[in-house]
């Protein structure tokens, strides 16, 4: 059995295939970001899934594409968790989530810029053969412009600095626990603080036509474009693809802003898992 896994910080999609490429099952777990989760929590999130536990001895190959897997230490952490759980696996391949987005949106020998804007954000150049990243992520606190946790962070700051218009602040407070005690507990004592921040982004999406939200969306995406996309000299010559919930639900706003920079929007996918399956069937299972 072959497992294809696409993991963000919030959710993880799993698809199991047999040797002929026929789907056996699909399932979903919480996110498995080894940058912010311990081996114990990662294991707990896998072991509590019925399908994964049931088939744990049947898995022969794991292809995992995950947020937080851009450096050696977190890759080794999650690989160790998988080796213990899928104890019959002959191959466990760990790549960062950028590769899942790349495989889902581009074809071989087709250049493009591939962006992820979901709970976090990043950007890579694909020249048709090789992938290049010029910016090394320093995590959700310092980077992730335009992402869910970026918008959540800005909303919380503006709310507590009384910068949100009163009618909007009232609705925001009705939907979430915005007490200082609750916020600090989630940020400093609970796992996945980046996912906690990102949950507030749905308020931005729901109220995206409000002038305050329009300005905040524009600010976040401008930062992403200027810090990430425009780092590549040929950005105006090739399509720019997006994967992730924030780019999916705010794609009209994103497309409009891209046009101001003479940039061309390519594909926009909420989740890359289906494209990932097609890639593996076309290139990895022949």
């Amino acid at each position: 059995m072959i497992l294809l896994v696409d993991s963000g910080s919030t959710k993880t999609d799993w698809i199991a295939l047999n040797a002929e490429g026929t789907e056996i099952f699909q399932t979903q777990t919480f996110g498995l970001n080894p940058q912010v989760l311990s081996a114990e929590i990662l294991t707990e999130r896998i072991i509590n899934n019925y399908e994964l536990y049931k088939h744990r001895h049947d898995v022969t190959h794991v292809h995992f594409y995950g947020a937080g897997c851009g450096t050696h230490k977190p890759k080794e952490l999650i690989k160790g968790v998988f080796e213990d759980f899928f104890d019959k696996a002959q191959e466990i391949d760990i790549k960062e989530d950028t590769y899942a987005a790349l495989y889902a949106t581009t074809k071989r020998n087709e250049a493009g810029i591939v962006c992820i804007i979901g709970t976090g954000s990043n950007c890579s150049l694909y020249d048709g053969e090789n992938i290049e990243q010029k910016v090394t992520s320093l995590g959700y606190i310092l980077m992730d412009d335009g992402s869910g946790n970026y918008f959540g962070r800005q909303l919380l700051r503006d709310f507590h600095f009384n910068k949100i218009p009163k009618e909007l602040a009232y609705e925001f407070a009705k939907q979430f626990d915005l007490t200082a005690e609750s916020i600090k507990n989630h940020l400093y004592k609970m796992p996945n603080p980046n996912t906690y921040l990102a949950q507030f982004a749905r308020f931005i999406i729901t109220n995206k036509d409000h002038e305050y939200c329009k300005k905040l969306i524009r600010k976040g995406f401008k930062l992403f474009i200027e810090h990430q996309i425009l780092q590549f000299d040929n950005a105006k010559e090739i399509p720019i693809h997006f994967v992730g919930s924030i780019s999916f639900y705010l794609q009209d706003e994103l497309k409009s802003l891209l046009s101001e920079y003479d940039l061309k929007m390519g594909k926009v996918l909420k989740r890359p898992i289906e494209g990932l399956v097609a890639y593996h069937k076309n290139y990895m299972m022949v």
Side-chain angles (χ1 to χ4, degrees):
M1 182 185 297
I2 301 165
L3 275 181
L4 302 181
V5 193
D6 172 60
S7 178
S9 292
T10 304
K11 288 177 285 191
T12 302
D13 293 311
W14 306 71
I15 291 186
L17 308 174
N18 63 20
E20 290 71 43
T22 301
E23 183 180 312
I24 301 172
F25 68 84
Q26 288 193 39
T27 192
Q28 193 173 78
T29 63
F30 288 120
L32 301 173
N33 186 334
Q35 288 276 18
V36 295
L37 297 175
S38 67
E40 290 74 20
I41 295 176
L42 293 168
T43 300
E44 180 183 353
R45 292 187 173 189
I46 300 170
I47 205 170
N48 286 334
N49 182 279
Y50 172 76
E51 291 288 355
L52 298 178
Y53 188 81
K54 175 183 175 183
H55 294 285
R56 67 193 185 282
H57 301 309
D58 303 322
V59 174
T60 58
H61 297 76
V62 179
H63 297 280
F64 180 85
Y65 302 86
C69 292
T71 55
H72 178 74
K73 189 173 181 178
K75 286 173 71 172
E76 288 301 304
L77 172 63
I78 200 158
K79 185 175 182 180
V81 169
F82 285 167
E83 286 173 341
D84 290 341
F85 189 76
F86 303 112
D87 56 355
K88 305 298 183 186
Q90 303 162 20
E91 178 187 11
I92 296 177
D93 183 39
I94 310 294
K95 288 186 171 68
E96 60 181 319
D97 54 351
T98 298
Y99 284 88
L102 169 67
Y103 296 154
T105 57
T106 63
K107 298 177 181 178
R108 285 190 173 181
N109 303 316
E110 179 183 87
I113 291 174
V114 181
C115 308
I116 297 175
I117 308 183
T119 298
S121 65
N122 62 52
C123 179
S124 304
L125 172 68
Y126 180 59
D127 64 7
E129 185 175 347
N130 299 304
I131 189 169
E132 176 188 1
Q133 284 185 323
K134 288 189 175 181
V135 174
T136 299
S137 176
L138 298 177
Y140 74 98
I141 294 175
L142 296 178
M143 292 191 171
D144 283 0
D145 293 332
S147 69
N149 71 67
Y150 167 87
F151 288 124
R153 187 166 64 245
Q154 299 306 310
L155 274 170
L156 292 178
R157 284 175 54 84
D158 284 356
F159 179 83
H160 280 274
F161 281 125
N162 298 311
K163 298 295 184 181
I164 298 180
K166 288 184 178 179
E167 72 280 3
L168 201 63
Y170 175 76
E171 291 299 322
F172 191 39
K174 278 175 52 178
Q175 295 181 33
F176 299 98
D177 182 352
L178 301 176
T179 61
E181 181 181 10
S182 176
I183 293 169
K184 288 189 285 187
N185 183 57
H186 279 90
L187 290 180
Y188 302 115
K189 296 183 179 180
M190 302 289 284
N192 282 88
N194 54 336
T195 302
Y196 166 73
L197 288 171
Q199 70 170 323
F200 298 107
R202 69 175 185 261
F203 186 80
I204 285 282
I205 294 168
T206 302
N207 296 280
K208 66 179 186 177
D209 293 328
H210 191 286
E211 193 61 32
Y212 165 82
C213 294
K214 284 182 180 180
K215 289 180 180 178
L216 186 52
I217 292 167
R218 181 178 176 86
K219 177 183 177 182
F221 284 163
K222 276 177 67 69
L223 288 172
F224 182 84
I225 290 170
E226 293 173 2
H227 289 164
Q228 294 281 2
I229 295 174
L230 292 180
Q231 66 182 299
F232 299 113
D233 294 335
N234 60 342
K236 296 183 179 181
E237 302 166 12
I238 54 178
I240 302 166
H241 307 293
F242 294 88
V243 169
S245 57
I246 299 299
S247 56
F248 181 80
Y249 288 116
L250 295 176
Q251 59 185 284
D252 290 339
E253 290 76 12
L254 186 53
K255 184 176 182 179
S256 176
L257 192 55
L258 286 172
S259 68
E260 295 182 22
Y261 289 85
D262 295 321
L263 299 169
K264 177 186 176 184
M265 177 177 276
K267 295 178 182 177
V268 183
L269 305 177
K270 183 180 179 183
R271 299 158 54 208
I273 191 68
E274 299 298 337
L276 200 55
V277 171
Y279 172 85
H280 274 265
K281 286 183 178 181
N282 289 335
Y283 299 114
M284 304 286 283
M285 302 180 67
V286 295

